[in-house]
Amino acid sequence: MFTTRPTLQGTHGMVASTHWLASSAAMAVLEDDGNAFDAAVAAGFVLHVVEPHLNGPAGEVPIVFAPAGGEPVVLCGQGPAPAGASAAHYRDLGLDLVPGTGPLAAAVPGAFDAWMLLLRDHGTKRLDEVLRYAIGYAEHGHPAVERIGQTVQVVHELFRTEWTTSAEVYLPGGSPPAPGALLRNPALARTWRRVLAEAGAAGPSREAEIDAARRVWREGFIAEALAGAAAEPTTDSSGQRHVGTLTGDDLAAFSASYERPASYDWNGWTVCKAGLWSQGPVLLQQLALLPDSLELGSPDHLHVLIEGTKLAMADREAWYGDSTHVTVEELLDPAYNAARRELIGPRASVELRPGSPGGRTPRLSAHARRVQEGPLDLVAPAGAGEPTVARTGESRGDTCHVDVVDRWGNMIAATPSGGWLHSNPVIAELGFPLGTRLQMAWLDPDLPNSLVPGKRPRTTLTPSLALRGGEPVLAFGTPGGDQQDQWSTHFFLGAALREPVRGGLDLQGAIDAPNWHGESFPGSFYPRAMRPGAVTVESRLGYSAIADLRRRGHDVTVGDPWSEGRLSAVARDPETGVLSAAANPRGMQGYAVGR
């Protein structure tokens, strides 16, 4: 089969990510005898610099990884709601949704501590050896990709008139950065150099230095600047000025943490995801809802997969969150899924139909119930589904991803996001803004995803790791908000069921295959819209398949031929040790490297 690029193969190391500079930095670490975890940390910090419209240091990152010879692990870099972030406080401000921008939407930042914990416990390199690539690009500049300038153009008036610290970084010379123009962030470079200097004074050991860097973030000059920014009245997507709830005490109390992954066995594979505080189990539920036999790429395959996604996403709305009383095991119970599978009929559904695991009665937010009824102001435009800058423009936010496998068999997938350049004003002394992840929590009481101090907002970020025979074989993921586990399921089925390439998984073929996403559920990002029965497909899907979907009652939007999915993946054959990698051609930005 023709693909846009080859699936790379080698034996030393493989990296795939959403930006070629991040992939190259990670590969440089592998070439310098670093392992997959060292390389992933280096890539993560480069992504903060070269994709600032997609992630930042004050965002979050869920990570799923497997050390060589060890069990899969989830590392949670999702911070919780601050102690003062009660739903009552937001309602007292006259809000019925958490704003999509501004300090009220800021959770406790989690990305930095997660990367540091990974480096300390599983890496081999010192802090300066993994940070030097990000420092170099921030200090000396990197060629701006098109979407940075496009994002800044949408919010440039806000930057120019109110978020002036952001204008200093992202409106050089008064204009958004042109594609290919060198974009610098000297304040960010100074921040990391100061962290290195202060952490280096902690002692000679690598571990002591990394722990000292974590303290600088939690309790030192960075924590002071973050808390100060949260206390600054800021115009947000509600159209009003608000101060946030994040304090120094919240920052000091947070630590990233390790967890057992949620997992599901399917057709000889074991797929590992983060738990119900994330969107991850949606992919597992989609697999559990599949019938025993279904031909890849057939009309029935696509219809059943779309309908199963609706059911899994409906369960997400009713049961996922940090306060849930439902377990992943209940949602994956064979009897439960057999009953749910019976709901998939020959026609497209337009209802939001959560199940009743354990006989419980599902509860949806008041907003979700209103959205399902379809008032005009809550129905999404065609093709929506990712974070947006609401009422300050319609620039899409999004996410990054990186996968690494090394010659020893260590494997990792990470999905950094949040802290976008358009989420909050840049903190002048740090060079980056606060995040906005609290916008994903509801203000209704007693829901699994209600805004509760100390609880994590449910996130769409969802890296994946898959094993065969207990051996890690495949790490993958994608940006895309609510679309992530839709695109990822389509990719995984393609990789698992396609004919091998040179004896290995056809990663590039599965990434290149025409993709799709549905929107028959409330979106996770402000203004939380929904399009009942809607599905957007790439035009490459073909006239016959599109016509078949429409005959079955799907509200089909035909998108551009290369518009759906931004996956990257790495793999390892346990029998031969051959490594492979592939990355998304859409957007002309993702890249895989290796040897």
Side-chain angles (χ1 to χ4, degrees):
M1 173 188 170
F2 172 80
T3 57
T4 58
R5 309 165 181 179
T7 294
L8 306 184
Q9 288 186 316
T11 57
H12 181 82
M14 289 282 162
V15 184
S17 85
T18 49
H19 197 292
W20 64 86
L21 290 179
S23 297
S24 297
M27 194 66 207
V29 173
L30 293 178
E31 295 286 12
D32 194 34
D33 288 329
N35 66 18
F37 310 121
D38 298 315
V41 175
F45 280 89
V46 169
L47 288 171
H48 294 330
V49 180
V50 301
E51 294 191 323
H53 57 309
L54 305 181
N55 78 136
E60 43 277 327
V61 59
I63 300 169
V64 58
F65 67 94
E71 296 294 318
V73 180
V74 167
L75 175 52
C76 175
Q78 174 59 61
S86 69
H89 172 66
Y90 289 67
R91 289 195 298 268
D92 287 346
L93 295 173
L95 301 170
D96 59 1
L97 291 174
V98 178
T101 62
L104 270 180
V108 179
F112 182 86
D113 200 63
W115 288 125
M116 291 298 100
L117 200 62
L118 179 71
L119 183 65
R120 186 195 71 182
D121 296 346
H122 298 279
T124 65
K125 294 293 187 181
R126 298 192 72 96
L127 192 53
D128 67 316
E129 294 178 294
V130 295
L131 280 180
R132 63 181 180 179
Y133 306 96
I135 292 172
Y137 288 127
E139 192 166 64
H140 302 298
H142 58 94
V145 294
E146 287 82 354
R147 289 301 300 271
I148 295 178
Q150 293 167 4
T151 300
V152 175
Q153 178 60 42
V154 173
V155 292
H156 79 280
E157 188 63 22
L158 175 71
F159 283 12
R160 189 181 64 80
T161 59
E162 298 203 40
W163 294 12
T164 55
T165 53
S166 298
E168 292 174 9
V169 179
Y170 294 111
L171 289 174
S175 299
L182 284 181
L183 179 61
R184 297 177 175 86
N185 191 340
L188 180 57
R190 288 193 297 270
T191 294
W192 296 145
R193 289 193 184 282
R194 183 173 173 183
V195 168
L196 290 176
E198 295 190 14
S205 80
R206 194 181 70 90
E207 292 77 10
E209 179 185 56
I210 294 169
D211 279 336
R214 298 173 72 200
R215 288 193 296 273
V216 171
W217 179 277
R218 293 172 177 173
E219 303 170 16
F221 78 95
I222 293 180
E224 182 179 344
L226 292 171
E232 187 70 26
T234 301
T235 300
D236 60 34
S237 54
S238 72
Q240 303 174 11
R241 291 181 184 272
H242 291 114
V243 299
T245 59
L246 181 69
T247 68
D249 289 342
D250 297 312
L251 292 157
F254 175 74
S255 175
S257 57
Y258 296 110
E259 302 175 0
R260 291 186 62 185
S263 65
Y264 183 71
D265 294 331
W266 176 85
N267 202 29
W269 292 82
T270 300
V271 183
C272 298
K273 304 286 285 186
L276 290 169
W277 55 269
S278 79
Q279 183 176 268
V282 161
L283 190 154
L284 309 182
Q285 285 195 259
Q286 288 172 290
L287 295 177
L289 285 164
L290 289 175
D292 291 336
S293 61
L294 200 62
E295 182 185 351
L296 179 68
S298 68
D300 282 345
H301 166 89
L302 191 54
H303 171 72
V304 168
L305 196 55
I306 292 170
E307 292 302 296
T309 296
K310 294 176 185 178
L311 295 174
M313 285 295 200
D315 274 356
R316 184 195 75 167
E317 287 309 302
W319 302 116
Y320 287 29
D322 212 15
S323 300
T324 190
H325 299 296
V326 169
T327 66
V328 172
E329 289 74 20
E330 288 176 298
L331 292 170
L332 297 176
D333 178 76
Y336 176 73
N337 282 285
R340 296 284 279 161
R341 199 177 300 118
E342 291 297 318
L343 296 176
I344 300 176
R347 299 283 296 173
S349 170
V350 295
E351 300 176 77
L352 193 65
R353 300 181 292 176
S356 300
R360 300 175 180 86
T361 301
R363 281 195 65 214
L364 296 171
S365 69
H367 180 87
R369 295 194 299 272
R370 291 198 304 273
V371 168
Q372 187 172 200
E373 295 166 2
L376 292 178
D377 63 334
L378 293 176
V379 175
E386 299 173 12
T388 58
V389 181
R391 299 189 192 176
T392 57
E394 287 299 322
S395 173
R396 295 288 181 85
D398 209 336
T399 300
C400 306
H401 188 79
V402 59
D403 306 293
V404 190
V405 61
D406 63 31
R407 63 189 186 274
W408 299 288
N410 299 301
M411 184 177 287
I412 182 169
T415 310
S417 186
W420 307 300
L421 65 86
H422 48 280
S423 62
N424 265 293
V426 165
I427 303 167
E429 59 268 47
L430 299 181
F432 59 86
L434 290 167
T436 54
R437 192 58 58 175
L438 290 188
Q439 67 177 291
M440 307 183 83
W442 297 112
L443 297 182
D444 307 52
D446 303 322
L447 297 174
N449 190 34
S450 295
L451 182 63
V452 176
K455 294 291 186 179
R456 294 168 290 191
R458 188 196 72 213
T459 177
T460 55
L461 308 175
T462 176
S464 304
L465 189 76
L467 297 78
R468 285 184 71 87
E471 291 283 340
V473 170
L474 177 64
F476 60 99
T478 178
D482 294 310
Q483 292 119 317
Q484 287 182 35
D485 279 308
Q486 302 182 67
W487 292 339
S488 289
T489 302
H490 179 81
F491 161 80
F492 172 70
L493 292 173
L497 299 176
R498 297 172 80 88
E499 290 296 320
V501 172
R502 296 187 298 274
L505 295 173
D506 184 8
L507 301 182
Q508 196 65 52
I511 288 173
D512 287 358
N515 217 321
W516 58 272
H517 80 271
E519 295 163 36
S520 286
F521 48 85
S524 295
F525 297 90
Y526 190 95
R528 315 298 296 265
M530 171 180 172
R531 296 177 62 221
V535 59
T536 299
V537 304
E538 290 181 328
S539 61
R540 292 183 299 122
L541 190 65
Y543 173 82
S544 176
I546 292 169
D548 181 81
L549 288 174
R550 285 175 170 154
R551 280 195 298 269
R552 296 174 190 244
H554 297 277
D555 178 10
V556 180
T557 296
V558 179
D560 292 336
W562 296 91
S563 55
E564 294 288 318
R566 286 182 283 289
L567 283 135
S568 63
V570 298
R572 179 178 184 271
D573 186 328
E575 294 183 5
T576 65
V578 170
L579 313 177
S580 56
N584 173 51
R586 300 163 178 88
M588 302 298 288
Q589 192 171 310
Y591 225 77
V593 295
R595 71 168 179 88

